[in-house]
Amino acid sequence: MRYLVTGAAGFIGSNLVDRLLADGHAVVGYDNLSTGQRRFVEPALRSGRFELIEADLLDEGRLAGAVRGCDAVFHLAANADVRFGTQHPRRDLEQNTIATHNVLEAMRLGGVKTIAFASTGSVYGEAQVIPTPEDAPFPLQTSLYGASKLACEGLISAYCEGFGFRGLIFRFVSILGERYSHGHVFDFYRQLRSDPTRLKVLGDGTQRKSYLYVQDCIDAILLAMERAPAGASVWNLGADEYCQVNDSIRWICRALGVSPALEYGGGDRGWVGDNPFIYLDTRKIRGLGWSARLTIREGIERTLNYLRENPWLLESRS
């Protein structure tokens, strides 16, 4: 098969590219390198079956050329900066919703009918049903990021209905693992690397979150690609557990051998739009035979080890 992966030089995208190449496929990577790292795709570039197109998804001409000849699209590119969404209100619209529309149109014009889309558990807002299933009632949206991703889901399901697409919508929790380049483990490690005596924590540390190791995430995506029916389908992806931010702090500090003074920002959430409790019901994907191999703690520890072994990544994002 020949696949297009948008966001190919990003954390999840580059890991997916490596897996697809290892499985014998050809891959076209598409990334504007605004947050992606060329170093993440250097192994892929040496494979002979990978092409990297450095372009923005708002460039419809370049996108049309990239899609041509592909069998399916993995659409992972997005603005993932949930925390600062209100400081740049148009960014989520352009980089998530409009970009996704452009991908769908390029697929329609190029005769490509299958898309796997990286959505988010943030679309559930502050869910009233925990763990939250795919068919949970939707409350009001609490973040521009979640709202833009929900709009993307709507476009994908409409293209499935109107143009006979097959659309797999994956609602992720936060993903951990090698090449992780933003999020709480990154932020905490960067702080402690600079000053191991103190750690600033957004919120009060009691926020409850679920996470998933990146290779477990990719296993689930590829399994669903094999088994999902025609039309649009929605899949929650996450570990069958959650932890408090305070748990994560304890694991990270223990691994680093530090005991910092904790300076809490206060309140039950870290920023406007932060959901203080995210825990998704994953019975649907587990019904296909999938299960997470790593616990949340193991995922956090592997992420931390990767960051310790790759200080260039922290420096590149300083």
Side-chain angles (χ1 to χ4, degrees):
M1 302 285 278
R2 180 179 174 86
Y3 293 114
L4 174 68
V5 177
T6 72
F11 162 39
I12 304 172
S14 63
N15 277 286
L16 175 61
V17 166
D18 287 347
R19 180 74 71 86
L20 293 172
L21 292 172
D23 288 345
H25 305 295
V27 180
V28 178
Y30 197 100
D31 203 300
N32 65 6
L33 299 182
S34 59
T35 56
Q37 300 285 339
R38 176 175 284 276
R39 287 178 69 165
F40 288 171
V41 292
E42 284 179 352
L45 288 166
R46 294 192 292 268
S47 75
R49 286 179 285 108
F50 176 73
E51 173 190 1
L52 178 64
I53 298 175
E54 295 181 36
D56 197 284
L57 290 174
L58 301 181
D59 185 338
E60 297 173 58
R62 296 290 299 279
L63 182 57
V67 168
R68 194 172 301 118
C70 291
D71 296 293
V73 174
F74 293 90
H75 178 32
L76 277 63
N79 172 46
D81 198 352
V82 186
R83 179 180 165 193
F84 297 105
T86 54
Q87 296 181 20
H88 310 280
R90 190 171 177 82
R91 186 174 295 171
D92 287 307
L93 172 67
E94 291 182 342
Q95 296 186 9
N96 297 348
T97 310
I98 295 175
T100 297
H101 174 263
N102 289 350
V103 170
L104 291 167
E105 268 299 279
M107 290 173 61
R108 182 180 68 84
L109 296 172
V112 181
K113 295 282 192 175
T114 299
I115 181 170
F117 174 63
S119 188
T120 171
S122 295
V123 300
Y124 295 115
E126 296 190 20
Q128 300 301 305
V129 181
I130 300 291
T132 311
E134 289 88 349
D135 59 357
F138 274 30
L140 294 175
Q141 291 300 303
T142 56
S143 73
L144 294 174
Y145 172 73
S148 69
K149 285 287 193 174
L150 185 56
C152 295
E153 291 189 13
L155 287 169
I156 291 168
S157 60
Y159 270 70
C160 289
E161 185 69 22
F163 303 109
F165 278 28
R166 179 173 177 251
L168 293 85
I169 296 165
F170 296 101
R171 293 176 179 160
F172 295 172
V173 294
S174 294
I175 307 300
L176 299 165
E178 295 77 15
R179 301 177 183 162
Y180 172 97
S181 56
H182 73 276
H184 84 282
V185 181
F186 188 96
D187 293 339
F188 288 166
Y189 177 58
R190 180 161 55 183
Q191 286 189 61
L192 293 169
R193 186 170 178 256
S194 175
D195 181 358
T197 67
R198 57 197 290 264
L199 180 65
K200 293 183 178 180
V201 183
L202 298 175
D204 61 9
T206 65
Q207 302 97 306
R208 293 167 291 177
K209 309 280 184 172
S210 187
Y211 301 90
L212 184 65
Y213 179 57
V214 65
Q215 297 300 332
D216 289 331
C217 176
I218 291 170
D219 286 344
I221 291 171
L222 296 180
L223 179 61
M225 283 285 281
E226 291 179 5
R227 305 276 188 87
S233 58
V234 179
W235 306 84
N236 283 343
L237 299 188
D240 193 25
E241 60 174 334
Y242 61 86
C243 69
Q244 286 193 1
V245 171
N246 282 329
D247 295 323
S248 185
I249 292 170
R250 187 173 66 255
W251 299 330
I252 291 169
C253 290
R254 185 171 298 167
L256 296 176
V258 299
S259 299
L262 303 181
E263 301 175 5
Y264 292 103
D268 66 350
R269 63 201 67 211
W271 57 86
V272 175
D274 182 27
N275 186 340
F277 192 10
I278 297 178
Y279 179 37
L280 304 184
D281 185 331
T282 58
R283 282 178 292 181
K284 183 176 179 179
I285 187 67
R286 286 188 281 117
L288 298 184
W290 173 88
S291 62
R293 291 173 294 170
L294 265 61
T295 65
I296 291 175
R297 180 173 181 171
E298 290 168 336
I300 287 173
E301 290 172 345
R302 285 207 188 183
T303 304
L304 185 62
N305 288 339
Y306 176 81
L307 293 174
R308 296 176 78 177
E309 293 168 1
N310 292 273
W312 67 267
L313 184 55
L314 285 90
E315 293 157 7
S316 72
R317 295 182 62 83
S318 61

